[in-house]
Amino acid sequence: MTSVKLRWKIAIGVAVLAIAGLGYAGNYFYDYAVVPSEKDFLEGDTPGTDENQTGSEAQNWFTDAANREMWQLTSEDDLKLSAIYLPAEEKNQGKTAIIAHGYMGNAETMADYAKMYHDLGYNVLVPDARGHGQSEGDYIGFGWHERKDYLQWIDEILAKNGSEETITLYGISMGAATVMMTSGEDLPKNVTSIIEDCGYTNVNEELGYQLDQLFGLPAFPLMNVTSLVTKIRAGYFFGEADAVKQLQKNTRPIFFIHGDADTFVPYAMLDILYNATDAPKEKWVVSGAEHAKSYKTDPALYKEKIAAFLEKYDHPASE
């Protein structure tokens, strides 16, 4: 009897230590991936942005524009969110592009994309995602909580620019996931098109992939534990943040872009995303482009592709 009790105590002790170890690992990975902070695994540029734009024509324009405005709003969970707004060169064009930056980027790093849309005649709004730039927040929502923030930015555009404004959504990397997740919400008719560049299918698959790439670890059980930690500390499970499920509800024309040399968000995710929606859609595979480098690979062609898609689909719903 004593021997049986001892074995039970040992088994319970081992189980407690295992649970404690997983709990520690889950909190460690939460801090590593979900808490906004400098990330050593990014190796310089944040995904989807180019931090070394100082002195470039686009960056100088974006930083020094005399008509640049700072917009703010309060999120549903009481965070102060910030965005940069630049009106179109010609007034009363009636169209705005909302641009979403990548993981650990911010509005200031999106000068190239902002200028591209501005040159096409758009007002441009570039929000800082929660926990990034000038926006408050102590966690990254990977597009899931941000989708609700984008609904508020859409409302802000309509309140300030008028109820007939046409709105297109553009995002790159995590920003691409953000606009895809936004696509499944109840959007006003003003949102007429969406463009995503190298977004991921869902957070479980992307972080599981990164866990393998960075640490050589399988997704189970660490991803499950980290997801639970994220639910406790940030209010969502990784499984909720699913661009594929949101795209299944999407009705807006959407343009998918991905480089076939992307090893940060696997290129294989492109077709899964493309096939998820029955809305009008196009895709462009950029040969040789690494993660979020499609624009840099051929800026002129990138702009041409974007302009052609917008010319085809970005029209008021009343037309």
Side-chain angles (χ1 to χ4, degrees), residues 1-289:
M1 182 66 73
T2 302
S3 176
V4 171
K5 287 183 178 179
L6 180 60
R7 286 199 296 269
W8 270 108
K9 285 182 179 180
I10 292 173
I12 291 170
V14 170
V16 168
L17 288 174
I19 292 170
L22 281 173
Y24 174 83
N27 276 283
Y28 174 84
F29 192 55
Y30 175 90
D31 291 338
Y32 192 81
V34 184
V35 173
S37 62
E38 185 174 340
K39 309 295 183 183
D40 56 6
F41 59 85
L42 295 182
E43 299 180 350
D45 293 345
T46 53
T49 61
D50 183 355
E51 295 181 337
N52 302 312
Q53 298 180 89
T54 304
S56 71
E57 178 187 355
Q59 191 64 56
N60 289 339
W61 163 81
F62 192 63
T63 302
D64 300 331
N67 55 357
R68 169 168 153 153
E69 303 173 15
M70 295 302 298
W71 286 16
Q72 289 192 324
L73 57 76
T74 301
S75 69
E76 291 181 356
D77 51 348
D78 206 33
L79 296 176
K80 297 294 188 297
L81 303 179
S82 178
I84 296 170
Y85 178 78
L86 285 161
E89 196 71 31
E90 296 183 25
K91 294 183 178 180
N92 302 318
Q93 292 297 298
K95 54 185 183 180
T96 297
I98 305 180
I99 298 174
H101 63 74
Y103 180 77
M104 292 314 304
N106 57 60
E108 298 288 359
T109 61
M110 296 300 285
D112 284 334
Y113 305 98
K115 191 171 191 306
M116 175 180 68
Y117 276 93
H118 193 265
D119 288 347
L120 291 172
Y122 284 80
N123 306 308
V124 176
L125 181 73
V126 193
D128 282 330
R130 53 177 55 212
H132 295 72
Q134 301 302 309
S135 290
E136 293 180 346
D138 59 5
Y139 68 86
I140 299 167
F142 289 99
W144 188 240
H145 283 195
E146 290 83 354
R147 84 193 193 285
K148 292 290 186 71
D149 302 334
Y150 267 64
L151 294 178
Q152 290 187 255
W153 285 121
I154 289 168
D155 288 343
E156 193 75 3
I157 287 288
L158 298 180
K160 293 186 176 183
N161 290 3
S163 61
E164 298 304 312
E165 190 81 355
T166 295
I167 297 172
T168 184
L169 306 179
Y170 172 89
I172 192 161
S173 193
M174 188 184 79
T178 298
V179 299
M180 286 190 287
M181 292 181 194
T182 304
S183 77
E185 299 300 308
D186 184 16
L187 299 173
K189 66 178 184 179
N190 308 75
V191 179
T192 56
S193 62
I194 298 169
I195 299 175
E196 75 86 23
D197 185 338
C198 64
Y200 41 80
T201 51
N202 58 62
V203 173
N204 263 329
E205 291 181 356
E206 176 59 18
L207 292 187
Y209 170 80
Q210 291 298 330
L211 188 64
D212 176 59
Q213 293 293 301
L214 294 171
F215 301 102
L217 294 173
F220 181 82
L222 185 52
M223 283 295 298
N224 305 71
V225 175
T226 308
S227 180
L228 178 59
V229 170
T230 303
K231 181 65 174 178
I232 294 169
R233 296 178 61 178
Y236 70 101
F237 288 113
F238 289 157
E240 297 175 66
D242 194 322
V244 172
K245 290 181 179 178
Q246 290 293 95
L247 284 169
Q248 289 169 352
K249 298 183 286 184
N250 170 57
T251 60
R252 300 308 195 274
I254 183 165
F255 187 21
F256 298 86
I257 303 170
H258 216 116
D260 63 8
D262 193 339
T263 56
F264 193 87
V265 172
Y267 165 62
M269 289 185 175
L270 170 62
D271 281 343
I272 298 171
L273 293 164
Y274 181 81
N275 292 329
T277 182
D278 291 327
K281 57 188 176 181
E282 297 180 9
K283 67 177 175 179
W284 176 35
V285 177
V286 183
S287 179

